[in-house]
Amino acid sequence: MKLYGTAQSRAFRSLWMLEELGIEYEHENTGSRTDAKTRNYLENINPNGKIPALVDGDLVLWESLAINLYLARKYDGGLLPKSLDDQARALQWSFWVMTEIEPPLIEVLMNRRGLSEPERDSAKADAAETALAPCLAVLDGALAGKRNLLGDDFSVADLNVASVLSWTLLGGVDLSAVPEVQRWLGECLARPAAARAQAL
Ligand SMILES: N[C@@H](CCC(=O)N[C@@H](CS)C(=O)NCC(=O)O)C(=O)O
């Protein structure tokens, strides 16, 4: 099994999952700008020219959170919820974080850190942070009275949502209005597997 993508990218999400599962894998430290644009990578790994990508036997898979859902299902590390209802909720939260949270969060991150200083627009970053607030409030409500998203146990739902939300720390998003999110995100990112993935 091989995972393509540097940990300083969305590949962190899948590296975190692999580290949680404790399975053997090869890490190809592919960067997004050049390595993911080679003819070989485009033809054989990911035609989108993006990272991460996973090769597991005959399966070549891209999209970070899809990779994680696959890994949780294939390798029993206890991260796939047991019931069909909770598996559906894991899908729901994964699609939600990609569609509702990631776009405004990228806007914050790019305009506070990613772009060169002259290109950054603090008004755009602030507007995107404002747009995030109702979504974060939804997450805060879902976490109230629960240790994790689907109950007591940490699952792929938590990993997928927290790995995207880890960018709130990089982007300086104020989480003080959503204390449950702050608590839960801190606990998720303090897991040894997350720290190992970050250090890769
Ligand atoms: N939705 C994809 C996005 C992948 C993605 O955009 N990865 C970035 C690195 S964080 C990339 O490879 N960018 C290269 C490019 O856009 O040319 C996923 O979550 O896997």
Side-chain angles (χ1 to χ4, degrees):
M1 162 135 47
K2 191 187 271 195
L3 195 281
Y4 291 81
T6 164
Q8 282 72 53
S9 75
R10 289 170 175 87
F12 162 68
R13 303 167 183 176
S14 301
L15 290 166
W16 179 5
M17 174 54 92
L18 286 161
E19 290 293 328
E20 288 283 353
L21 294 173
I23 48 181
E24 262 191 42
Y25 67 97
E26 202 180 322
H27 179 209
E28 190 79 35
N29 209 353
T30 313
S32 59
R33 298 230 168 92
T34 51
D35 308 334
K37 305 290 185 282
T38 63
R39 192 164 164 192
N40 178 50
Y41 189 85
L42 292 167
E43 281 180 1
N44 298 308
I45 309 295
N46 187 350
N48 299 290
K50 295 188 177 187
I51 51 174
L54 179 82
V55 177
D56 187 15
D58 289 340
L59 177 69
V60 182
L61 198 61
W62 30 265
E63 278 299 323
S64 52
L65 303 192
I67 292 171
N68 289 354
L69 289 158
Y70 161 75
L71 288 170
R73 176 172 289 271
K74 177 156 185 193
Y75 299 96
D76 183 16
L79 295 188
L80 184 73
K82 297 278 173 287
S83 73
L84 184 59
D85 287 10
D86 278 345
Q87 289 174 17
R89 291 185 183 106
L91 290 173
Q92 168 200 279
W93 284 113
S94 301
F95 291 137
W96 175 83
V97 79
M98 284 298 238
T99 55
E100 303 292 331
I101 294 274
E102 202 192 62
L105 192 47
I106 288 178
E107 181 89 347
V108 173
L109 201 57
M110 293 308 283
N111 283 289
R112 290 195 181 145
R113 290 187 70 130
L115 296 170
S116 67
E117 288 220 15
E119 287 173 314
R120 290 180 202 167
D121 182 336
S122 61
K124 274 193 188 165
D126 293 349
E129 183 167 351
T130 303
L132 267 175
C135 300
L136 291 174
V138 167
L139 184 59
D140 208 56
L143 285 165
K146 280 194 253 152
R147 178 143 189 233
N148 285 299
L149 267 173
L150 305 182
D152 280 344
D153 297 333
F154 178 82
S155 75
V156 61
D158 299 290
L159 194 154
N160 278 354
V161 176
S163 61
V164 175
L165 275 176
S166 65
W167 284 349
T168 58
L169 309 181
L170 276 179
V173 174
D174 180 8
L175 296 179
S176 58
V178 284
E180 288 300 321
V181 173
Q182 213 167 15
R183 174 211 38 95
W184 161 88
L185 185 59
E187 286 175 10
C188 291
L189 295 175
R191 292 175 68 86
R196 283 198 301 276
Q198 232 146 16
L200 286 171

